[in-house]
Amino acid sequence: MRLVERKEEEKPARPRRRRVVRRLPRQRKMRDLGPWREMHNRYGLLLKGFFRRFFKPIRLSPWQESRLKELNEAGHVIYVMERASLLYYLFLNYTCLRLKLPLASYGNGIPSFFLFQPMGKVLRALLAKIRGRAEAEGGATVQESEEAEGAPSHRSMVLFLRRYQRFGSRRYTDAKEFLEELVHFQAGCRRPVYLVPMGILWGKGPDKVHKGILDVLLGRKDAPGRIRQILVLLRYSRHSMVTMGQVMDLQAYRKENIHLEQDLMLKKMRWSLHRELDLAKTSITGPRIKPRKYTLESILSSRTLRDQAREIARSEGKSFEKVMKQAEKYADEIAADYRITYIEFLNLLLTWVWNNIYSGFSVDMKGLERVKAAVRKGSVILMPSHKSHLDYLVLSYVFYHNDLPPPHIAAGVNLSFWPLGHIFRRAGAFFIRRTIRGQKLYATVFSTYLRNLLREGYVQEFFLEGTRSRTGKLLQPKLGMLSMELDAFGEGVSEDLQLVPISITYEKIVEESSHTKELGGGKKKKEGFLGLLKTPQVLKKKYGRVYIQFAPPLSIRDYLKAKKSDLAGMGGARRRGMVEDLALRVSYSINEVTTVTPSALAATVLLNHPKRGITLSELTRHASFLLRLLQDLEARRSLILKNLPWAMEESLQGFVGDKIVQRWDDPDGPIYTLEDNKRIVLDYYKNNILHFFLPFALAGNVFRLYRTDRLQEARFLSSLGVFVELFSREFLFPREDPVGSLWSIVRDHFSERRNYLERDEQNEIRVREPLPLNYLSRLLMNYFESYYIFLTAAERILGSEECEEKDFYNQVLRWGDGLYRKGDVLRREARSSPLFRNALACMVAQGCIRRTKTKGGAVLCLEGAGREKMGIYKRTLSQILFSEES
């Protein structure tokens, strides 16, 4: 009877318990919160002044603000913070008030918040406690937050992942229990629950691995005690920002992890939130900084390096200790010594410098957001174009001002001299020798250092071209460093490798005069950033704008997956082919995102004009034609070009001010003329954008070669292939089917879109509008002339005997002077040392010239079989240069 009575007593409770479980299982009261759980808006004048002084400067980006508003409208927002902190909670209260967001309530407690409650509320709570009603006004559950009508402030809550403790005793609800309650709550709630990882980054300095005295006494910077919180707030409030990790949608998260046991799912959820908070911070500051001595120890303890040292010791008859001593010197020469104080110092210096010499920076912000996403995914390597010494500093400056970690930069060892090297090394530069061929120990030390950077997760930067471009166009890529990075990735050092092609374009470069001298055959002058700034006219002169454009990051993991390849099992020749393909992909991407500047467009028109002088209206008309073609190609253009006449006039005035162009007043309007000895200056800016017009210019020269407006497609493609072969070291062509790729671009834009060309059923290509092709074909005349000079000189100089390479270049330059004076060459910029070097590289690769290395350099001689091939190239160039149309 008693058993029956017990069952009857339990029956009413069972359906009630089942109903509660279905709606919201395992309801709990938050412990020890009392009435101090809610944010409020009744702060006094003193606290409001404190908030304005210390909380208002803390940056919350527009994207973060809009994102928080969207989430609060869509569902319940749970702000997730790392550690229980009264300061963070007050800041969040201030932020919700400022953005007019629903005020939040405690999830698992915060100490001493009652001190900041309105006095009336405190008195009522004390009176209620005296009367024994404290339990009735105790902490609310998540369900109460959902069911409270007319209380929008209860829609949001705050969760601290690490609970507050005092003397080792548990004071408030553990994060795991709160997350468990949230999961059950989401099961019975239609509206989604969003967990938003948030934090405050006090300054942009990365954390250190080892604790200092201040860390021991007052707590680490990422987990400060109360005294350090106050000190940090006083020191960094104007240089701080809000960090926000990827939002976790609890509805979607439950569905994705429904197969996991609840305890395991909660652990995974908590780990994911911790990771998002850490990623949000390190994506701005970079990884924790280790002392430089530990980096050097890590390099020298590498098994690969020590095995290489033993092999060298055996082969050269040296002791292992002596070889390792040399390796230690190499490591000390290479390794950076990153310190945020030097970055902050350079930021102040560079802000002053940029304001003096540039009109401003135009940064591709959408591309920068892609870079931020890439930094969160894996190791990132920045690969910018290299046209100025200032390239070393531009990206670091842009990254620092856009909440990204300044990169570790591969710099030439010639920049390591004091004091410049000292500053650069502590700003993140690591140094590499110009050539490491044959230096096995040095190469091993350097590759080991690169592995260490990848393993630690530092953002790296190096120039794929290896050296600055003196001609204005991209140089052929150097494969050494890229190959080392891929080797490290193949060994599993990082999960992924993101290559970011970047174009840095200057309206005008500060090294203009030195580049001009080197192009004319002058010796390379040692110069650096500080050397440039010592020149008074540099700091007194404006050089226009700087344009930084980012191409989409290239994931090596995705690339290998698409190719169905694996670096581990890839042979030498195949691996080199893959490295070449990646390097060309990066170079193409840099070219694609290069900004078309007004100075580059104006220089192109000036150099391509067949007459001595040009009016502003003529220049604008030709520039308009080129600009329409650039628009068809979807090239990135300076916003100034929207007002083309004004942009061209400003560019001409700049050239006149620099004494590159002369302005002559005429009754019909001013006439602008260009002296021959100044053409080489403008050729640099023309080459910045020449790659956009290259397919059309080559196609136009095929028709110019045959002096006809009709060609069979097979003959057209065959002649185009001759140009590709001849200029293989001059321009960047695709590795696979370069001729087909060029023809595809010409066909798409000049046949299908503009109707300048027509292709009939008999595969004959006919020119419908000759003027556009003729105009574009002249863009390459200086290259044809330069190669004509080289081939003519090589035939004479190497026809009978060998010649030292250095003396050969000097003779080619003198030969070019003679042809220019006789009138066989019309363009002064054709006498270019870099173009002659590229022509020699092409002839060596084609087997026309043999290059034999010697102790003092190299010796050149003409190959017997190469004479005929060089003769074909020379005749082809002669037919173009000396045709009636040219």
Side-chain angles (χ1 to χ4, degrees):
M1 190 67 183
R2 289 180 180 176
L3 291 174
V4 174
E5 289 176 356
R6 286 178 184 172
K7 289 180 179 179
E8 290 176 353
E9 290 173 359
E10 291 174 1
K11 277 182 180 179
R14 283 179 180 174
R16 193 179 306 118
R17 189 179 299 115
R18 287 174 183 171
R19 181 170 55 84
V20 171
V21 169
R22 184 171 57 253
R23 290 181 58 201
L24 182 64
R26 301 181 65 178
Q27 292 297 305
R28 294 186 180 86
K29 297 282 184 181
M30 299 302 172
R31 295 178 177 83
D32 299 327
L33 295 180
W36 323 121
R37 49 178 289 274
E38 299 174 357
M39 292 179 178
H40 62 87
N41 59 359
R42 289 170 285 175
Y43 292 103
L45 292 177
L46 185 62
L47 278 175
K48 286 181 179 178
F50 175 85
F51 291 165
R52 282 194 300 270
R53 168 63 180 82
F54 293 105
F55 287 166
K56 188 176 181 180
I58 298 176
R59 261 190 310 119
L60 193 69
S61 70
W63 175 84
Q64 290 172 333
E65 292 181 4
S66 61
R67 181 65 171 151
L68 289 176
K69 291 177 181 178
E70 290 174 4
L71 294 173
N72 275 279
E73 291 176 0
H76 299 278
V77 174
I78 310 297
Y79 301 100
V80 181
M81 293 187 162
E82 182 72 29
R83 295 175 183 272
S85 169
L86 178 60
L87 183 67
Y88 291 176
Y89 198 89
L90 288 172
F91 172 76
L92 190 56
N93 196 163
Y94 164 80
T95 302
C96 290
L97 290 173
R98 185 174 69 85
L99 300 181
K100 299 180 180 179
L101 299 174
L103 297 179
S105 57
Y106 289 126
N108 56 341
I110 193 71
S112 308
F113 190 56
F114 71 92
L115 297 174
F116 299 92
Q117 298 289 336
M119 184 58 67
K121 184 176 181 181
V122 173
L123 294 175
R124 285 195 300 272
L126 291 175
L127 185 61
K129 189 171 184 66
I130 293 173
R131 293 177 178 177
R133 291 190 287 119
E135 183 67 24
E137 292 187 17
T141 62
V142 179
Q143 183 189 24
E144 290 169 354
S145 297
E146 165 69 9
E147 294 177 349
E149 295 181 2
S153 62
H154 290 170
R155 292 179 57 204
S156 302
M157 300 189 78
V158 181
L159 165 64
F160 296 103
L161 293 178
R162 301 184 190 275
R163 65 173 181 265
Y164 177 75
Q165 290 184 342
R166 180 177 294 171
F167 304 116
S169 62
R170 175 169 165 172
R171 297 272 297 173
Y172 300 112
T173 304
D174 185 76
K176 182 181 176 182
E177 297 180 21
F178 184 75
L179 289 173
E180 184 179 2
E181 185 176 343
L182 278 178
V183 171
H184 287 288
F185 168 67
Q186 182 67 91
C189 178
R190 294 181 180 178
R191 303 188 71 197
V193 174
Y194 298 110
L195 278 70
V196 184
M198 289 184 65
I200 302 176
L201 183 61
W202 304 106
K204 297 185 179 181
D207 296 331
K208 297 180 180 179
V209 172
H210 297 291
K211 293 182 179 180
I213 297 176
L214 198 63
D215 298 325
V216 175
L217 296 177
L218 303 179
R220 297 173 65 95
K221 191 178 176 181
D222 59 335
R226 290 184 178 178
I227 296 177
R228 188 160 191 180
Q229 285 186 28
I230 296 173
L231 295 176
V232 164
L233 184 66
L234 295 173
R235 168 68 176 83
Y236 291 105
S237 63
R238 296 186 181 276
H239 307 282
S240 300
M241 69 209 72
V242 174
T243 60
M244 198 166 86
Q246 187 173 352
V247 176
M248 180 184 292
D249 184 342
L250 198 54
Q251 275 185 347
Y253 187 85
R254 285 184 66 255
K255 293 178 181 178
E256 293 173 2
N257 297 275
I258 195 69
H259 60 284
L260 296 178
E261 296 180 3
Q262 181 169 309
D263 190 57
L264 185 59
M265 183 173 66
L266 292 174
K267 287 182 179 179
K268 182 181 177 182
M269 185 188 304
R270 191 169 183 177
W271 176 85
S272 298
L273 293 171
H274 276 297
R275 182 174 179 273
E276 283 301 321
L277 286 167
D278 187 60
L279 278 175
K281 180 177 67 174
T282 57
S283 63
I284 298 173
T285 65
R288 289 187 174 185
I289 296 296
K290 293 181 179 178
R292 188 169 184 263
K293 64 178 182 179
Y294 290 109
T295 301
L296 298 179
E297 289 176 2
S298 175
I299 295 171
L300 297 174
S301 62
S302 166
R303 180 179 297 179
T304 304
L305 175 60
R306 297 179 77 84
D307 290 344
Q308 182 70 49
R310 290 189 183 93
E311 183 180 339
I312 292 173
R314 283 195 302 269
S315 62
E316 298 182 2
K318 298 178 180 179
S319 66
F320 172 74
E321 290 74 16
K322 187 174 182 179
V323 176
M324 287 302 297
K325 194 72 176 176
Q326 185 63 46
E328 185 178 354
K329 291 181 181 179
Y330 288 154
D332 186 61
E333 176 188 308
I334 293 168
D337 187 13
Y338 183 86
R339 301 184 187 183
I340 190 63
T341 51
Y342 281 77
I343 296 290
E344 293 169 348
F345 163 73
L346 281 176
N347 172 55
L348 295 175
L349 173 64
L350 292 177
T351 299
W352 176 76
V353 171
W354 301 151
N355 289 336
N356 275 277
I357 67 175
Y358 290 125
S359 303
F361 282 28
S362 295
V363 182
D364 173 18
M365 297 308 297
K366 291 183 178 179
L368 201 61
E369 288 299 325
R370 289 195 295 263
V371 176
K372 289 182 179 181
V375 170
R376 293 173 58 90
K377 293 178 182 178
S379 300
V380 169
I381 299 177
L382 310 177
M383 306 179 76
S385 56
H386 194 19
K387 296 175 182 175
S388 171
H389 279 303
L390 304 184
D391 295 336
Y392 290 104
L393 304 170
V394 165
L395 278 184
S396 295
Y397 186 81
V398 168
F399 271 43
Y400 182 80
H401 278 268
N402 287 279
D403 303 334
L404 278 165
H408 278 53
I409 309 170
V413 74
N414 60 306
L415 295 177
S416 63
F417 60 87
W418 196 91
L420 186 64
H422 174 83
I423 296 172
F424 276 9
R425 194 183 295 275
R426 282 158 179 77
F430 59 95
F431 297 96
I432 180 174
R433 297 181 177 181
R434 184 166 296 278
T435 177
I436 61 176
R437 186 175 297 174
Q439 303 179 50
K440 293 183 179 180
L441 184 62
Y442 182 90
T444 305
V445 172
F446 188 79
S447 62
T448 304
Y449 180 69
L450 290 183
R451 284 176 174 82
N452 185 73
L453 292 179
L454 285 178
R455 187 181 298 109
E456 297 295 332
Y458 293 109
V459 176
Q460 295 181 52
E461 174 188 343
F462 71 85
F463 302 105
L464 190 60
E465 299 166 87
T467 186
R468 287 176 297 149
S469 170
R470 271 71 171 177
T471 62
K473 59 184 177 60
L474 282 186
L475 304 179
Q476 295 291 324
K478 303 293 190 297
L479 307 180
M481 274 200 65
L482 179 59
S483 181
M484 288 183 181
E485 300 281 8
L486 292 173
D487 288 342
F489 172 74
E491 294 173 7
V493 172
S494 62
E495 294 183 3
D496 195 8
L497 200 59
Q498 303 268 341
L499 308 181
V500 185
I502 304 169
S503 172
I504 304 176
T505 308
Y506 301 89
E507 192 77 44
K508 293 173 62 181
I509 57 167
V510 296
E511 299 98 331
E512 192 175 89
S513 60
S514 64
H515 283 188
T516 303
K517 291 177 182 177
E518 291 179 33
L519 288 170
K523 291 184 178 180
K524 179 182 176 182
K525 182 181 177 182
K526 289 186 178 181
E527 59 184 10
F529 174 67
L530 293 182
L532 291 171
L533 297 186
K534 288 178 183 176
T535 308
Q537 58 265 31
V538 169
L539 294 177
K540 293 180 181 179
K541 193 174 180 181
K542 287 290 185 182
Y543 289 85
R545 299 187 68 82
V546 182
Y547 300 86
I548 300 99
Q549 298 287 331
F550 300 88
L554 174 59
S555 167
I556 299 299
R557 184 174 57 188
D558 295 344
Y559 173 84
L560 292 172
K561 187 176 180 181
K563 294 280 186 180
K564 298 180 180 179
S565 301
D566 184 11
L567 279 171
M570 196 174 291
R574 189 181 171 199
R575 178 183 286 247
R576 179 174 177 80
M578 187 202 72
V579 176
E580 289 178 355
D581 182 57
L582 281 170
L584 285 174
R585 284 173 182 255
V586 171
S587 298
Y588 296 148
S589 297
I590 293 173
N591 272 340
E592 285 175 1
V593 299
T594 296
T595 303
V596 179
T597 64
S599 60
L601 194 60
T604 303
V605 175
L606 284 169
L607 291 175
N608 210 41
H609 193 61
K611 298 180 181 180
R612 184 176 293 110
I614 189 171
T615 63
L616 177 60
S617 60
E618 285 181 299
L619 186 140
T620 303
R621 178 166 54 85
H622 292 307
S624 178
F625 162 69
L626 295 177
L627 191 60
R628 286 196 301 272
L629 180 56
L630 290 167
Q631 289 171 343
D632 291 344
L633 295 168
E634 298 181 355
R636 304 190 184 191
R637 306 171 298 280
S638 170
L639 293 177
I640 302 172
L641 290 172
K642 289 185 175 181
N643 188 345
L644 186 61
W646 180 84
M648 292 299 97
E649 186 175 8
E650 285 292 305
S651 297
L652 285 174
Q653 292 304 323
F655 292 146
V656 170
D658 293 338
K659 299 181 179 179
I660 299 172
V661 173
Q662 290 76 43
R663 183 180 187 271
W664 300 93
D665 291 326
D666 187 80
D668 295 331
I671 298 174
Y672 298 90
T673 62
L674 176 64
E675 294 182 8
D676 285 352
N677 61 344
K678 297 294 185 180
R679 291 180 64 92
I680 198 167
V681 179
L682 293 184
D683 191 58
Y684 179 93
Y685 300 107
K686 164 195 160 186
N687 286 335
N688 285 342
I689 60 173
L690 181 60
H691 58 274
F692 290 116
F693 309 116
L694 181 62
F696 313 103
L698 290 174
N701 278 293
V702 171
F703 288 101
R704 180 184 288 266
L705 174 64
Y706 294 103
R707 304 180 190 181
T708 181
D709 60 355
R710 294 173 180 270
L711 278 175
Q712 285 293 320
E713 184 176 358
R715 194 173 190 183
F716 173 85
L717 296 178
S718 175
S719 300
L720 197 59
V722 173
F723 290 147
V724 170
E725 189 179 78
L726 180 61
F727 295 117
S728 59
R729 293 295 188 273
E730 197 66 57
F731 302 109
L732 297 169
F733 297 111
R735 290 181 71 245
E736 299 179 2
D737 192 19
V739 174
S741 300
L742 293 172
W743 170 229
S744 176
I745 295 172
V746 174
R747 185 177 62 246
D748 290 346
H749 292 277
F750 270 21
S751 178
E752 298 178 5
R753 179 173 296 188
R754 289 292 178 182
N755 204 26
Y756 294 154
L757 294 175
E758 185 180 60
R759 182 185 177 207
D760 59 23
E761 297 178 354
Q762 286 74 36
N763 291 330
E764 185 179 64
I765 304 171
R766 184 169 67 89
V767 179
R768 291 174 57 90
E769 295 287 341
L771 290 179
L773 273 177
N774 286 339
Y775 184 82
L776 292 169
S777 68
R778 292 202 302 269
L779 292 175
L780 295 178
M781 284 301 109
N782 62 307
Y783 288 92
F784 288 126
E785 289 183 341
S786 184
Y787 276 60
Y788 176 78
I789 292 171
F790 176 87
L791 292 171
T792 305
E795 189 178 39
R796 288 291 188 93
I797 298 168
L798 303 178
S800 56
E801 58 183 4
E802 297 180 338
C803 182
E804 292 283 344
E805 185 173 0
K806 292 181 180 178
D807 185 50
F808 174 75
Y809 283 126
N810 292 330
Q811 292 189 53
V812 173
L813 288 168
R814 287 196 296 270
W815 192 270
D817 287 334
L819 291 177
Y820 176 74
R821 289 189 180 95
K822 288 191 296 182
D824 292 339
V825 171
L826 303 178
R827 295 160 181 82
R828 188 66 178 173
E829 65 270 24
R831 184 188 178 275
S832 171
S833 183
L835 267 62
F836 295 152
R837 294 182 186 277
N838 292 337
L840 175 61
C842 176
M843 293 303 108
V844 171
Q846 297 290 337
C848 300
I849 297 176
R850 184 171 70 248
R851 184 175 184 270
T852 306
K853 291 185 179 180
T854 62
K855 289 184 178 180
V859 174
L860 305 175
C861 67
L862 204 61
E863 294 280 9
R867 293 175 183 268
E868 183 179 351
K869 198 167 192 178
M870 288 177 61
I872 294 173
Y873 288 145
K874 183 181 174 183
R875 286 193 296 272
T876 300
L877 296 177
S878 299
Q879 290 176 16
I880 293 174
L881 294 174
F882 305 128
S883 65
E884 292 181 2
E885 293 181 2
S886 65

